[in-house]
Amino acid sequence: MKTFEFAHAATVEEAISSVVSSGGKYYAGGTNLLDLMKGGVEAPPALVDLRRLGLTNIVATDAGGVLIESGVSNSAIANHPLIRTGYPVLSQAILSGATTQLRNMATAGGNLLQRTRCPYFMDTAFARCNKRVPGSGCAATDGFNREHALFGASDTCVAIHPSDMAVALAILNASVLVQGPDGARTVPIAEFFRLPGDEPERDNTLHPHELIVGIELPPSPYAEHSWYLKVRDRHSYAFALVSVAAGLHIVEGAIRAAAIGMGGVAAMPRRVAEAEDSLLGQQAGEAAFRRAARLAMAGARPLSQNGFKVDLGMHSVVRALTMASR
Ligand code: SF4
């Protein structure tokens, strides 16, 4: 690991100006960033510690939703009464990720900013990775790609985003609150992540030096009927091959609102509007769920090793909707 400066910030403004002047990176839980630094994938000249900013609260908003400040640990989010009762799918998604120890350290902001676990990105022994070394090529396109994307990939990158929390946030229509050198702004979660296109090194739409300060959730119609299903190679401490966050609002057996988000299939959480729309007005049941699942996976473009994820995705959508409807 290369040497680096380490600075503590007492305010958001101080953190931003410290990162601007040092060219460094923000540091909170460090559960992904430090791994990348140890492996030589990241080598910032400085880390600016955010842990004294006090962004560790979860509060009800005047709009009837919830504000999660960016420094709240993943464990604290998952176990908070406002989240467990109003947004159980978020709690479930977070608890499906990593391990207890990691969830105790990892923060809300860091969860959104974690990088892909594509093995060619994570290991500098591999020469080709456009996300790590722009212009070097993509070793996954003709290499190991069983865990990679089915949707939205480009010739330059076929990686997926690893977050479970982000998939739940996608169906909850969360907003990401950011602050940067040019002031504060709010980014809808649907506009926060980006597909690789010609710039796979950019995972999201943050401007340079912007800091995530919070995540706002509007009131959810899915508190009674939701489910997060994560399918992975082993039961714990593994990233999703496919995951599905499903939310249903059911009145007298009929579906009045529906949201389906998928993880493990693209470089960002994938909402499937056509599949969601197909459920509206339908009786909650297998026929409607199978139709939605087919629509959710339509247009998938498997790579050489991940064709199995198309069927897996379809079954996962049916299963998640079934569990949500109970
Ligand atoms: Fe790198 Fe993306 Fe290709 Fe993986 S899929 S090797 S992250 S460019």
Side-chain angles (χ1 to χ4, degrees):
M1 189 195 286
K2 289 189 176 163
T3 56
F4 56 90
E5 299 293 321
F6 193 79
H8 298 283
T11 65
V12 168
E13 291 73 20
E14 192 182 315
I16 294 167
S17 86
S18 185
V19 159
V20 169
S21 61
S22 67
K25 284 187 172 290
Y26 299 114
Y27 172 84
T31 54
N32 185 216
L33 179 58
L34 289 187
D35 278 352
L36 296 173
M37 290 172 67
K38 287 179 204 165
V41 178
E42 296 268 13
L47 292 183
V48 177
D49 187 0
L50 307 174
R51 290 174 297 173
R52 294 181 185 173
L53 300 188
L55 294 173
T56 52
N57 299 300
I58 297 178
V59 293
T61 64
D62 293 343
V66 169
L67 170 68
I68 302 166
E69 292 183 334
S70 59
V72 182
S73 74
N74 284 201
S75 296
I77 302 169
N79 292 312
H80 196 282
L82 286 174
I83 303 300
R84 288 172 68 97
T85 55
Y87 309 88
V89 70
L90 178 57
S91 182
Q92 212 180 355
I94 290 172
L95 292 175
S96 77
T99 64
T100 305
Q101 291 89 340
L102 285 166
R103 290 192 297 268
N104 287 344
M105 290 299 294
T107 63
N111 191 313
L112 294 181
L113 298 179
Q114 63 179 304
R115 310 297 309 272
T116 185
R117 292 333 195 266
C118 172
Y120 304 106
F121 173 77
M122 296 286 289
D123 190 340
T124 57
F126 295 109
R128 288 189 298 148
C129 174
N130 285 322
K131 193 180 271 296
R132 177 166 45 78
V133 184
S136 61
C138 173
T141 46
D142 57 359
F144 177 83
N145 57 37
R146 76 181 280 278
E147 297 169 3
H148 289 66
L150 296 173
F151 298 95
S154 71
D155 291 342
T156 64
C157 182
V158 294
I160 55 167
H161 196 273
S163 171
D164 295 296
M165 183 181 88
V167 181
L169 292 178
I171 71 160
L172 295 171
N173 294 322
S175 294
V176 185
L177 313 182
V178 303
Q179 210 163 314
D182 297 325
R185 66 190 182 104
T186 299
V187 186
I189 192 78
E191 297 168 20
F192 182 80
F193 297 104
R194 62 182 297 283
L195 295 173
D198 293 332
E199 294 179 293
E201 67 276 17
R202 290 180 56 218
D203 295 349
N204 54 58
T205 58
L206 283 178
H207 300 160
H209 312 307
E210 275 186 331
L211 172 66
I212 297 175
V213 294
I215 297 169
E216 190 165 341
L217 302 173
S220 167
Y222 307 125
E224 283 183 35
H225 293 288
S226 67
W227 196 257
Y228 188 74
L229 176 72
K230 180 174 181 177
V231 183
R232 46 192 157 170
D233 282 329
R234 58 174 184 261
H235 187 60
S236 125
Y237 196 33
F239 293 95
L241 291 167
V242 168
S243 69
V244 180
L248 296 170
H249 180 54
I250 301 173
V251 179
E252 294 176 354
I255 299 169
R256 300 289 183 222
I260 303 170
M262 298 192 73
V265 297
M268 57 191 287
R270 176 176 157 80
R271 281 288 295 268
V272 282
E274 214 182 325
E276 293 170 2
D277 291 347
S278 78
L279 291 167
L280 299 182
Q282 304 295 313
Q283 287 296 302
E286 186 174 342
F289 298 160
R290 287 199 179 283
R291 199 177 318 118
R294 279 194 297 277
L295 289 167
M297 298 308 291
R301 294 185 58 194
L303 304 164
S304 60
Q305 298 175 353
N306 68 355
F308 73 98
K309 293 214 297 190
V310 178
D311 259 6
L312 185 63
M314 225 160 331
H315 292 303
S316 299
V317 171
V318 174
R319 179 74 178 159
L321 287 168
T322 303
M323 296 303 290
S325 68
R326 289 181 176 167

